[in-house]
C-alpha cells in the first residue's frame, strides 16, 4: 500500500483529532477540514492502556476511502505489536506507540518494517529520559499534554520543558524527527507549544468542538504561526 507524503519534517503541521468529531459522521468530519489541515490524527484506545475505547483498523480502512490526508494513528493500546500490520493494511501512514508499554522499541521497528512512520508517545508524567534512547530509531515524538483517554481536558504547561528537551536533542543530533503535542491545544496554548519546540499540533475540541471546524483549523494555524 502506498503511503501519503507527510510533508517536510519540522514544518508546522495541524493535525485535527477526530476524537471530538461526531462518530456517526466521521468521514464528513474528515473531509470538512481536508483543505485546511496537514494530517488527520486518529486516536485508538483499547480500554486497557487507557480507560476508554474508540476505533480500530476497520474504521481507519473506511476513512481511507474518503481522505487523502496523512493518517497519524495514535495507539493508546497495551499491545501495539499485535495490531500494527492491521493498521498498515488499513492505510495508516504513521503509528505512534506509547513508551510506557512493554516492547515499544520493537514496535517502532515493526512499524517501519511495514512501511509506516514510527512514533513514540510519552504521558505527562513520563520523563524525557525514557524517550532519549529511542530518538535515533523513530520519525515522530508525541508529547502528551494531558493524560490520554479523553478529549477536552486542560493543557498541562509543565510538559513544555520536555518538549524543549526533545527539540534540543533532535536539533543537536541532526535527526529527522517531528515533535508533536497532543492535549488541550487551542488558540492560547498552540503558540506556547510551538515556542517550546513542537511542530505538529493535535487539536480535537478546538477544531471539531467548534461550530466551523475548517475556520477553527485555520485560526489555529495562524495562532501557531504568529510566534514561530
Ligand atoms: C487524548 C487524545 C487526544 C485528544 C485531544 O487522549 O490522544 O488526541 O483527542 O483532544 P483535545 O484537543 O480536545 O484535548
Ligand atoms: Zn491523540
Amino acid at each position: 500500500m502506498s503511503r501519503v507524503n507527510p510533508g517536510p519534517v519540522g514544518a508546522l503541521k495541524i493535525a485535527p483529532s477526530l476524537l471530538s468529531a461526531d462518530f456517526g459522521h466521521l468521514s464528513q468530519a474528515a473531509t470538512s477540514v481536508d483543505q485546511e489541515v496537514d494530517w488527520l490524527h486518529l486516536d485508538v484506545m483499547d480500554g486497557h492502556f487507557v480507560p476508554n475505547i474508540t476505533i480500530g483498523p476497520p474504521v481507519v480502512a473506511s476513512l481511507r476511502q474518503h481522505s487523502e490526508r496523512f493518517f497519524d494513528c495514535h495507539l493508546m493500546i497495551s499491545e501495539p505489536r499485535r495490531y500494527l500490520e492491521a493498521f498498515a493494511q488499513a492505510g495508516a501512514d504513521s503509528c505512534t506507540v506509547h513508551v510506557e508499554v512493554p516492547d515499544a522499541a520493537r514496535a517502532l521497528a515493526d512499524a517501519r518494517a511495514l512501511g509506516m512512520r514510527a512514533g513514540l508517545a510519552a504521558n505527562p508524567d513520563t520523563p524525557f529520559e525514557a524517550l532519549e534512547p529511542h530518538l535515533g530509531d523513530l520519525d515522530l515524538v508525541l508529547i502528551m499534554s494531558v493524560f490520554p483517554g479523553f478529549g477536552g481536558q486542560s493543557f498541562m504547561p509543565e510538559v513544555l520543558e520536555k518538549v524543549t528537551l526533545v527539540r534540543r536533542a533532535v536539533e543537536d543530533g541532526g535527526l529527522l524527527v517531528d515533535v508533536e503535542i497532543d492535549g488541550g491545544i487551542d488558540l492560547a496554548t498552540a503558540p506556547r507549544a510551538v515556542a517550546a519546540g513542537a511542530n505538529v499540533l493535535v487539536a480535537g475540541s478546538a477544531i471539531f468542538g467548534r461550530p466551523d471546524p475548517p475556520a477553527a483549523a485555520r485560526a489555529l494555524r495562524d495562532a501557531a504561526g504568529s510566534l514561530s
Side-chain angles (χ1 to χ4, degrees):
M1 155 132 10
S2 66
R3 307 283 161 202
V4 177
N5 185 333
V9 174
L12 177 65
K13 300 180 184 82
I14 304 296
S17 161
L18 284 176
L19 187 61
S20 296
D22 177 351
F23 271 39
H25 296 95
L26 275 185
S27 66
Q28 284 100 315
T31 52
S32 75
V33 295
D34 231 30
Q35 299 306 309
E36 302 295 342
V37 305
D38 303 279
W39 294 358
L40 269 188
H41 184 82
L42 303 175
D43 286 302
V44 176
M45 305 185 189
D46 64 355
H48 186 260
F49 182 73
V50 287
N52 198 3
I53 298 175
T54 55
I55 61 167
V59 178
V60 175
S62 296
L63 285 168
R64 189 74 281 177
Q65 307 306 312
H66 298 274
S67 172
E68 292 175 3
R69 290 294 107 188
F70 182 86
F71 277 9
D72 167 38
C73 297
H74 178 192
L75 307 189
M76 288 160 275
I77 64 180
S78 296
E79 295 188 73
R81 295 188 72 213
R82 284 179 63 175
Y83 302 98
L84 286 171
E85 191 168 353
F87 280 105
Q89 277 172 8
D93 297 300
S94 170
C95 277
T96 294
V97 302
H98 269 260
V99 69
E100 298 85 6
V101 307
D103 264 1
R106 286 210 282 170
L108 293 173
D110 289 352
R112 282 182 157 182
L114 288 160
M116 297 184 290
R117 296 241 161 174
L120 194 61
N123 283 343
D125 57 357
T126 298
F128 167 71
E129 288 70 25
L131 296 166
E132 198 177 13
H134 305 287
L135 293 179
D137 303 313
L138 47 72
D139 305 293
L140 170 95
V141 172
L142 169 53
I143 303 298
M144 289 305 302
S145 38
V146 298
F147 281 95
F150 301 92
Q153 303 180 74
S154 296
F155 182 75
M156 298 171 67
E158 57 268 38
V159 307
L160 290 175
E161 215 171 297
K162 188 164 44 182
V163 171
T164 300
L165 291 173
V166 173
R167 171 57 64 197
R168 202 173 294 153
V170 166
E171 300 292 324
D172 290 351
L175 305 174
L176 288 174
V177 170
D178 280 305
V179 182
E180 181 173 48
I181 190 159
D182 183 3
I185 294 295
D186 58 20
L187 296 178
T189 56
R192 297 173 67 189
V194 170
N199 72 284
V200 184
L201 303 177
V202 177
S205 44
I207 293 182
F208 291 114
R210 308 294 303 166
D212 184 344
R218 222 165 19 242
L220 197 62
R221 188 189 297 283
D222 290 346
S226 63
L227 276 196
S228 64

